[in-house]
Amino acid sequence: MKYNWIIGLLLGGICTSCQFFDTQRISSETFYEEEYQNLDWNDVDTYPAFPSCESYTEKTGQQQCFQQTIVENFEQVLKQHQVMTTVDMNDTLHLLLEVDQEGTLLLTEVQADSLTWQQIPSLRELAQETITTLPKPAPAYKRGIPVKVQLTLPVLLNSADYNQNL
C-alpha cells in the first residue's frame, strides 16, 4: 500500500512530463525567413579567383591574389603601351569591377584625379585592355551558390617609380 502512492506519483510525473520531450516543428518557410534575415549579403564565402589563385583556401589569400593579378596585369599593359607623363604623378585610381555568376569580369568605371586623366587620356581603354586580357575567373560563392559581386580595386599610380623601371 505504501508503495502504491509512490508508483502513482511516478506515473503521474511521467505522464505530465511528456510535454518536455515534444519537439517544436519549424516550417520550411519560417526556417528560410530566419536564415534569409541572418545572411550578410555584403560578404561572400569565397572570393572570385583566377586559375593562378585557386591554391589559396582562405578568403583573404584569394582576395589578395585576385587583386594582385589585376594590378600586375595593369602594370604590364602600361609598360607595353609605354605610357609616359610630363609631370610626376602620385595618384590612386579606383577600378570598379563586377564579376557575375558565370565568372565574367567587367570594368564598370575608372575613377581618377583630373590630372591623371589629363596626363593619361587613354586610361579607361588601358584599364579595359587589362580586364580583357586576364583569364576568366571563377565566380564568388555564397553558401555554395555562385553570386555576382562588385569590387573596388585601388591602384597606386606613381610615375616616378614607373619611369625609373622603364
Side-chain angles (χ1 to χ4, degrees):
M1 289 264 181
K2 42 182 169 171
Y3 296 111
N4 287 343
W5 70 274
I6 294 174
I7 294 173
L9 185 61
L10 287 174
L11 285 175
I14 291 173
C15 290
T16 59
S17 67
C18 287
Q19 68 185 2
F20 297 115
F21 298 112
D22 189 24
T23 58
Q24 301 242 342
R25 294 187 184 260
I26 300 174
S27 71
S28 60
E29 292 84 19
T30 305
F31 179 74
Y32 173 78
E33 286 297 321
E34 288 177 6
E35 284 294 311
Y36 186 79
Q37 296 295 330
N38 292 330
L39 281 178
D40 181 6
W41 290 104
N42 294 323
D43 193 25
V44 292
D45 297 335
T46 60
Y47 211 73
F50 291 110
S52 61
C53 301
E54 290 178 352
S55 62
Y56 292 93
T57 56
E58 293 183 19
K59 190 168 61 170
T60 56
Q62 293 169 343
Q63 181 180 10
Q64 290 173 352
C65 182
F66 183 82
Q67 292 176 347
Q68 189 63 33
T69 301
I70 294 173
V71 169
E72 288 173 359
N73 199 40
F74 188 66
E75 288 175 358
Q76 289 176 357
V77 168
L78 290 175
K79 287 179 183 178
Q80 179 184 3
H81 288 278
Q82 298 179 349
V83 175
M84 299 297 252
T85 60
T86 58
V87 296
D88 283 343
M89 291 179 22
N90 189 11
D91 186 24
T92 301
L93 66 99
H94 297 275
L95 302 177
L96 281 65
L97 306 169
E98 185 177 287
V99 181
D100 69 10
Q101 296 91 330
E102 288 81 34
T104 303
L105 180 62
L106 300 171
L107 176 69
T108 57
E109 188 177 347
V110 178
Q111 298 174 344
D113 186 85
S114 60
L115 177 63
T116 303
W117 286 111
Q118 182 182 8
Q119 291 294 313
I120 312 172
S122 62
L123 185 61
R124 172 132 177 96
E125 290 78 19
L126 295 170
Q128 185 61 47
E129 182 179 332
T130 299
I131 300 305
T132 57
T133 58
L134 286 166
K136 184 176 182 177
Y141 284 88
K142 180 75 171 176
R143 299 270 175 127
I145 299 170
V147 293
K148 179 168 91 172
V149 293
Q150 295 175 335
L151 314 160
T152 301
L153 179 62
V155 178
L156 181 64
L157 288 179
N158 189 333
S159 62
D161 291 343
Y162 178 71
N163 289 334
Q164 289 174 0
N165 291 333
L166 290 176

